[in-house]
Amino acid sequence: MDKYFGQKLHSKDGELDTETALKDKVVGVYFSAHWCPPCRSFTPELANTYKLLKEQGKNFEIVFVSSDNDDSGFNEYYGTMPWLALPYADRARKGALSKTFKVSGIPTLVILDPTGSVITKDGRTQVDGDPTGEQFPWVPPEVKDVLGNEFVNKDGNTVTMAELEGHHIAIYFSAHWCPPCKSFTPNLAKVYTKLKDKGVKFEIIFASSDRNEEGFNEYYAEMPWLAIPYADRDRKLKLSQKFGVTGIPCLVILGPDLDVVNSNARNRVSNDPDAADYPWGAKPLIDLDEDPSNINDYVSLLFVKGEGMDETAAKAIMDKMSSKGEEYIQKAKDSKDDQEFMFFFSNGASGKVTSSVMEAMENPAPANKPLLIILDIPEGGKYSVIECDTPTPEKVDSALADYKAGKLTMQQLC
């Protein structure tokens, strides 16, 4: 656990040795702050669960990672907590933990097993649903367990998972009242029909966020695929929790073995009406102006082509980035963890998304020259323009290495 928290932790009785304090324990990493109303509501609930588990002799500990604005706020808030804390002064480690676990909002409770591996990043939901800790340590269910075995088709008949063997399956989180959903559904239906006409083993299952069954029935009438029965609200809720769905429309793509191919393929499908990129798995190099959906969640390397840049030179850089993208995709698959870096390109600074990125820079880079830019939006919206007259494939490697080594001067996106 030292790799996460350093050698010392703060306790009510002073400093503790991290290794000794957390040895053989399940650890909750609690990102929270005194100024955050939802945090102040959740903290007493979490404290009750913590005390119950400790009374039962469970090997459990929580480490508070503060997002308070100053030391006095930390001290006041920590005074209400019965667990350990990362020393407030270690702001660098707090930032590293937020980045490691991709914390985008608070309160967030990440549950780690005794080896430091992630059990779940959504411990808050688990504690909310299990305040007495009966399901501790809240190991998330497998996809097959929350997806279920039976669905309904357009004729009202039951279709089982056995009939979908060998299929890629898309779970479509959507609702009749949602304007973006209403716009996307007809396009998705066209893509679905094209794939079915080609005999592709692909199925979509509608997981409704409609407010009532009448809305569900009206909306499902527009769809050609399967659905989870509206009355099965518990299954829909567990699916949303399993895949971390926080907004709709969301299209989760699963492989034939129910592994996640894409946690939200909405943009990919929207930009691929002929389904040429089916099943829309991770791409090693992405056109930022076509699909910026992951830019907020991952540290990214962006290559912006300059005016008049030699195409051969540009291709060499993009080939290198594509190769690195494949490398990090494979690493993520092998480790069953999130991808460390994403790789994007843009044909020019005037692109619809790229222009917004350029305008947000604290010190705007020249718009007419080729650029390599590290974007760290998850860590408070930071960026660094790689210093070089002209980007080269070698600069791709050095930019990643320098970022990981903390050698880059990161500036603030406005």
Side-chain angles (χ1 to χ4, degrees):
M1 293 293 184
D2 287 13
K3 68 178 181 179
Y4 291 131
F5 306 113
Q7 295 182 349
K8 299 292 181 181
L9 286 170
H10 190 68
S11 79
K12 300 296 184 180
D13 301 317
E15 273 192 349
L16 291 179
D17 179 75
T18 300
E19 185 176 355
T20 303
L22 303 182
K23 184 176 175 59
D24 298 328
K25 291 183 178 178
V26 172
V27 176
V29 190
Y30 184 40
F31 298 86
S32 187
H34 184 266
W35 50 259
C36 163
C39 299
R40 293 200 306 273
S41 296
F42 179 61
T43 295
E45 298 174 18
L46 179 60
N48 287 336
T49 301
Y50 174 83
K51 290 172 184 175
L52 284 171
L53 290 171
K54 299 294 270 189
E55 288 168 2
Q56 295 167 19
K58 303 291 187 183
N59 281 339
F60 181 50
E61 191 51 78
I62 292 176
V63 178
F64 170 42
V65 180
S66 174
S67 293
D68 287 295
N69 296 324
D70 51 44
D71 194 60
S72 62
F74 164 80
N75 289 331
E76 181 181 351
Y77 193 31
Y78 183 53
T80 68
M81 301 175 178
W83 41 70
L84 307 181
L86 182 76
Y88 181 79
D90 198 348
R91 295 289 82 193
R93 199 174 297 277
K94 182 269 175 188
L97 286 167
S98 294
K99 186 180 300 180
T100 296
F101 299 120
K102 291 185 167 49
V103 176
S104 58
I106 55 174
T108 290
L109 181 65
V110 178
I111 307 294
L112 307 177
D113 72 14
T115 70
S117 297
V118 174
I119 294 176
T120 177
K121 294 181 182 178
D122 192 20
R124 178 188 178 189
T125 298
Q126 301 303 321
V127 170
D128 276 341
D130 179 35
T132 59
E134 293 179 15
Q135 298 172 33
F136 174 83
W138 304 295
V139 176
E142 297 292 326
V143 172
K144 63 181 177 62
D145 296 325
V146 290
L147 185 56
N149 187 53
E150 295 185 347
F151 314 95
V152 295
N153 65 15
K154 298 297 293 183
D155 299 322
N157 297 321
T158 297
V159 176
T160 67
M161 279 298 295
E163 297 173 71
L164 300 179
E165 184 177 355
H167 285 60
H168 278 79
I169 295 172
I171 307 174
Y172 183 38
F173 298 87
S174 187
H176 185 266
W177 50 261
C178 163
C181 300
K182 294 285 285 181
S183 296
F184 177 59
T185 297
N187 296 329
L188 179 60
K190 291 176 183 176
V191 171
Y192 172 84
T193 301
K194 285 182 180 180
L195 289 170
K196 299 296 275 188
D197 287 346
K198 292 177 181 177
V200 176
K201 287 189 172 183
F202 175 59
E203 191 52 74
I204 296 176
I205 299 169
F206 173 39
S208 172
S209 294
D210 286 296
R211 298 186 175 110
N212 52 53
E213 191 156 13
E214 181 182 358
F216 165 82
N217 290 333
E218 182 179 347
Y219 194 28
Y220 185 48
E222 304 171 13
M223 302 174 179
W225 41 70
L226 307 181
I228 294 168
Y230 182 79
D232 199 346
R233 295 287 81 198
D234 185 61
R235 182 167 25 156
K236 187 270 171 187
L237 174 62
K238 288 178 178 177
L239 282 167
S240 294
Q241 293 172 348
K242 176 66 179 177
F243 298 115
V245 177
T246 57
I248 55 174
C250 179
L251 186 70
V252 177
I253 308 292
L254 304 176
D257 57 357
L258 300 184
D259 61 314
V260 178
V261 173
N262 192 322
S263 59
N264 192 355
R266 172 197 173 187
N267 283 341
R268 292 283 298 281
V269 173
S270 294
N271 292 317
D272 185 27
D274 294 323
D277 286 339
Y278 171 85
W280 308 290
K283 290 182 74 172
L285 183 61
I286 303 164
D287 186 334
L288 178 64
D289 296 306
E290 286 191 358
D291 184 9
S293 54
N294 288 317
I295 199 76
N296 291 330
D297 301 319
Y298 297 87
V299 180
S300 304
L301 182 63
L302 169 64
F303 169 50
V304 182
K305 295 182 188 178
E307 295 176 6
M309 184 178 189
D310 179 74
E311 284 298 323
T312 301
K315 183 178 184 302
I317 294 169
M318 292 173 67
D319 286 348
K320 178 67 174 181
M321 292 177 70
S322 185
S323 174
K324 298 301 290 186
E326 294 282 8
E327 176 185 327
Y328 281 100
I329 288 169
Q330 190 58 51
K331 282 182 179 179
K333 286 180 180 178
D334 292 343
S335 65
K336 295 183 179 179
D337 204 349
D338 291 329
Q339 197 170 320
E340 186 177 3
F341 291 98
M342 299 288 288
F343 297 84
F344 294 88
F345 75 93
S346 173
N347 289 313
S350 61
K352 60 184 179 181
V353 178
T354 306
S355 59
S356 296
V357 172
M358 302 289 281
E359 289 168 5
M361 289 182 178
E362 191 174 29
N363 296 302
N368 61 344
K369 66 174 290 188
L371 300 168
L372 277 177
I373 305 168
I374 288 280
L375 291 168
D376 190 352
I377 295 177
E379 185 53 33
K382 307 288 187 181
Y383 77 97
S384 181
V385 178
I386 305 305
E387 294 184 8
C388 57
D389 291 330
T390 303
T392 63
E394 292 73 26
K395 281 292 181 181
V396 171
D397 283 323
S398 63
L400 299 175
D402 287 348
Y403 173 81
K404 289 194 276 189
K407 294 181 179 179
L408 297 180
T409 300
M410 303 300 290
Q411 299 183 74
Q412 184 67 52
L413 289 169
C414 301

Short mmCIF file of all heavy atoms in Angstrom, two decimals, residues 99-126:
data_model
loop_
_atom_site.label_atom_id
_atom_site.label_comp_id
_atom_site.label_asym_id
_atom_site.label_seq_id
_atom_site.Cartn_x
_atom_site.Cartn_y
_atom_site.Cartn_z
N LYS A 99 -5.65 10.73 -9.94
CA LYS A 99 -5.38 10.35 -11.33
C LYS A 99 -5.40 8.83 -11.49
O LYS A 99 -5.98 8.30 -12.44
CB LYS A 99 -4.01 10.89 -11.73
CG LYS A 99 -3.66 10.69 -13.19
CD LYS A 99 -2.30 11.26 -13.52
CE LYS A 99 -2.24 12.74 -13.23
NZ LYS A 99 -0.93 13.33 -13.53
N THR A 100 -4.78 8.12 -10.54
CA THR A 100 -4.72 6.66 -10.61
C THR A 100 -6.11 6.06 -10.67
O THR A 100 -6.37 5.14 -11.45
CB THR A 100 -3.97 6.11 -9.39
OG1 THR A 100 -2.61 6.56 -9.43
CG2 THR A 100 -3.99 4.59 -9.38
N PHE A 101 -7.01 6.58 -9.84
CA PHE A 101 -8.35 6.01 -9.76
C PHE A 101 -9.39 6.78 -10.57
O PHE A 101 -10.58 6.53 -10.48
CB PHE A 101 -8.78 5.92 -8.29
CG PHE A 101 -7.88 5.04 -7.46
CD1 PHE A 101 -7.21 5.56 -6.36
CD2 PHE A 101 -7.69 3.72 -7.80
CE1 PHE A 101 -6.37 4.76 -5.60
CE2 PHE A 101 -6.84 2.90 -7.05
CZ PHE A 101 -6.18 3.43 -5.95
N LYS A 102 -8.89 7.75 -11.38
CA LYS A 102 -9.75 8.52 -12.28
C LYS A 102 -10.96 9.11 -11.54
O LYS A 102 -12.12 8.94 -11.94
CB LYS A 102 -10.19 7.68 -13.47
CG LYS A 102 -9.03 7.37 -14.41
CD LYS A 102 -9.47 6.65 -15.65
CE LYS A 102 -8.36 6.64 -16.70
NZ LYS A 102 -7.05 6.23 -16.21
N VAL A 103 -10.66 9.81 -10.46
CA VAL A 103 -11.71 10.43 -9.65
C VAL A 103 -12.16 11.72 -10.34
O VAL A 103 -11.38 12.65 -10.50
CB VAL A 103 -11.20 10.73 -8.23
CG1 VAL A 103 -12.27 11.47 -7.42
CG2 VAL A 103 -10.79 9.43 -7.54
N SER A 104 -13.41 11.77 -10.73
CA SER A 104 -13.93 12.94 -11.43
C SER A 104 -14.93 13.73 -10.59
O SER A 104 -15.41 14.78 -11.00
CB SER A 104 -14.58 12.52 -12.75
OG SER A 104 -15.62 11.59 -12.53
N GLY A 105 -15.25 13.22 -9.42
CA GLY A 105 -16.19 13.92 -8.54
C GLY A 105 -16.13 13.32 -7.15
O GLY A 105 -15.61 12.21 -6.96
N ILE A 106 -16.62 14.06 -6.18
CA ILE A 106 -16.63 13.56 -4.81
C ILE A 106 -18.04 13.65 -4.24
O ILE A 106 -18.84 14.46 -4.71
CB ILE A 106 -15.63 14.35 -3.91
CG1 ILE A 106 -15.89 15.86 -3.98
CG2 ILE A 106 -14.21 14.00 -4.29
CD1 ILE A 106 -15.04 16.69 -3.03
N PRO A 107 -18.39 12.78 -3.27
CA PRO A 107 -17.52 11.78 -2.66
C PRO A 107 -17.31 10.56 -3.55
O PRO A 107 -18.21 10.15 -4.28
CB PRO A 107 -18.29 11.39 -1.41
CG PRO A 107 -19.74 11.61 -1.77
CD PRO A 107 -19.74 12.81 -2.67
N THR A 108 -16.11 10.01 -3.51
CA THR A 108 -15.77 8.78 -4.20
C THR A 108 -15.11 7.84 -3.21
O THR A 108 -14.23 8.26 -2.44
CB THR A 108 -14.82 9.03 -5.38
OG1 THR A 108 -15.52 9.72 -6.42
CG2 THR A 108 -14.29 7.73 -5.94
N LEU A 109 -15.52 6.59 -3.21
CA LEU A 109 -14.95 5.58 -2.33
C LEU A 109 -14.45 4.42 -3.18
O LEU A 109 -15.24 3.68 -3.77
CB LEU A 109 -15.99 5.08 -1.32
CG LEU A 109 -15.53 4.02 -0.32
CD1 LEU A 109 -14.46 4.59 0.61
CD2 LEU A 109 -16.71 3.47 0.48
N VAL A 110 -13.13 4.28 -3.25
CA VAL A 110 -12.49 3.19 -3.99
C VAL A 110 -12.14 2.09 -2.99
O VAL A 110 -11.51 2.36 -1.96
CB VAL A 110 -11.24 3.68 -4.72
CG1 VAL A 110 -10.55 2.52 -5.46
CG2 VAL A 110 -11.58 4.81 -5.69
N ILE A 111 -12.52 0.86 -3.29
CA ILE A 111 -12.23 -0.26 -2.40
C ILE A 111 -11.09 -1.09 -3.00
O ILE A 111 -11.17 -1.54 -4.15
CB ILE A 111 -13.47 -1.16 -2.19
CG1 ILE A 111 -14.68 -0.32 -1.73
CG2 ILE A 111 -13.16 -2.27 -1.19
CD1 ILE A 111 -14.53 0.31 -0.38
N LEU A 112 -10.04 -1.29 -2.20
CA LEU A 112 -8.87 -2.07 -2.61
C LEU A 112 -8.79 -3.36 -1.81
O LEU A 112 -9.12 -3.38 -0.62
CB LEU A 112 -7.58 -1.27 -2.38
CG LEU A 112 -7.49 0.13 -2.98
CD1 LEU A 112 -6.17 0.79 -2.57
CD2 LEU A 112 -7.60 0.09 -4.50
N ASP A 113 -8.33 -4.43 -2.46
CA ASP A 113 -8.09 -5.66 -1.70
C ASP A 113 -6.74 -5.56 -0.99
O ASP A 113 -6.00 -4.58 -1.18
CB ASP A 113 -8.20 -6.89 -2.61
CG ASP A 113 -7.03 -7.04 -3.59
OD1 ASP A 113 -5.99 -6.37 -3.42
OD2 ASP A 113 -7.16 -7.85 -4.52
N PRO A 114 -6.37 -6.52 -0.15
CA PRO A 114 -5.13 -6.40 0.62
C PRO A 114 -3.86 -6.30 -0.22
O PRO A 114 -2.83 -5.86 0.29
CB PRO A 114 -5.13 -7.68 1.47
CG PRO A 114 -6.58 -8.01 1.66
CD PRO A 114 -7.21 -7.66 0.33
N THR A 115 -3.92 -6.68 -1.49
CA THR A 115 -2.75 -6.56 -2.36
C THR A 115 -2.68 -5.20 -3.03
O THR A 115 -1.70 -4.90 -3.72
CB THR A 115 -2.75 -7.65 -3.45
OG1 THR A 115 -3.81 -7.38 -4.40
CG2 THR A 115 -2.94 -9.03 -2.85
N GLY A 116 -3.71 -4.37 -2.86
CA GLY A 116 -3.75 -3.06 -3.50
C GLY A 116 -4.49 -3.05 -4.82
O GLY A 116 -4.58 -2.01 -5.47
N SER A 117 -5.05 -4.18 -5.24
CA SER A 117 -5.83 -4.24 -6.48
C SER A 117 -7.23 -3.69 -6.23
O SER A 117 -7.78 -3.84 -5.13
CB SER A 117 -5.92 -5.68 -7.00
OG SER A 117 -4.64 -6.17 -7.33
N VAL A 118 -7.80 -3.07 -7.26
CA VAL A 118 -9.12 -2.46 -7.12
C VAL A 118 -10.21 -3.52 -7.09
O VAL A 118 -10.30 -4.37 -7.99
CB VAL A 118 -9.38 -1.47 -8.28
CG1 VAL A 118 -10.81 -0.93 -8.20
CG2 VAL A 118 -8.39 -0.31 -8.23
N ILE A 119 -11.04 -3.47 -6.06
CA ILE A 119 -12.25 -4.29 -6.02
C ILE A 119 -13.37 -3.55 -6.73
O ILE A 119 -14.05 -4.09 -7.59
CB ILE A 119 -12.65 -4.61 -4.56
CG1 ILE A 119 -11.60 -5.50 -3.91
CG2 ILE A 119 -14.02 -5.27 -4.51
CD1 ILE A 119 -11.86 -5.78 -2.43
N THR A 120 -13.58 -2.29 -6.35
CA THR A 120 -14.58 -1.46 -7.02
C THR A 120 -14.22 0.01 -6.83
O THR A 120 -13.69 0.39 -5.78
CB THR A 120 -16.00 -1.72 -6.49
OG1 THR A 120 -16.93 -0.84 -7.13
CG2 THR A 120 -16.10 -1.52 -4.99
N LYS A 121 -14.51 0.81 -7.85
CA LYS A 121 -14.34 2.25 -7.74
C LYS A 121 -15.64 2.94 -7.35
O LYS A 121 -15.69 4.16 -7.24
CB LYS A 121 -13.83 2.82 -9.08
CG LYS A 121 -12.43 2.35 -9.46
CD LYS A 121 -11.97 2.95 -10.77
CE LYS A 121 -10.60 2.44 -11.16
NZ LYS A 121 -10.16 3.00 -12.47
N ASP A 122 -16.67 2.15 -7.15
CA ASP A 122 -17.97 2.71 -6.80
C ASP A 122 -18.41 2.20 -5.43
O ASP A 122 -19.52 1.72 -5.25
CB ASP A 122 -19.00 2.34 -7.87
CG ASP A 122 -20.31 3.11 -7.72
OD1 ASP A 122 -20.30 4.17 -7.05
OD2 ASP A 122 -21.33 2.66 -8.26
N GLY A 123 -17.50 2.33 -4.46
CA GLY A 123 -17.83 1.89 -3.12
C GLY A 123 -18.97 2.67 -2.49
O GLY A 123 -19.70 2.15 -1.65
N ARG A 124 -19.13 3.91 -2.94
CA ARG A 124 -20.22 4.73 -2.38
C ARG A 124 -21.57 4.07 -2.63
O ARG A 124 -22.40 3.95 -1.73
CB ARG A 124 -20.19 6.13 -2.98
CG ARG A 124 -21.31 7.02 -2.50
CD ARG A 124 -21.36 8.33 -3.27
NE ARG A 124 -22.46 9.18 -2.86
CZ ARG A 124 -22.83 10.29 -3.48
NH1 ARG A 124 -22.15 10.71 -4.54
NH2 ARG A 124 -23.85 11.01 -3.04
N THR A 125 -21.79 3.65 -3.87
CA THR A 125 -23.06 3.00 -4.20
C THR A 125 -23.22 1.70 -3.42
O THR A 125 -24.32 1.37 -2.95
CB THR A 125 -23.14 2.72 -5.71
OG1 THR A 125 -23.10 3.97 -6.42
CG2 THR A 125 -24.41 1.99 -6.07
N GLN A 126 -22.11 0.96 -3.27
CA GLN A 126 -22.17 -0.31 -2.55
C GLN A 126 -22.56 -0.08 -1.08
O GLN A 126 -23.38 -0.81 -0.53
CB GLN A 126 -20.82 -1.03 -2.65
CG GLN A 126 -20.36 -1.34 -4.05
CD GLN A 126 -21.36 -2.17 -4.83
OE1 GLN A 126 -21.99 -3.07 -4.30
NE2 GLN A 126 -21.52 -1.84 -6.11
#
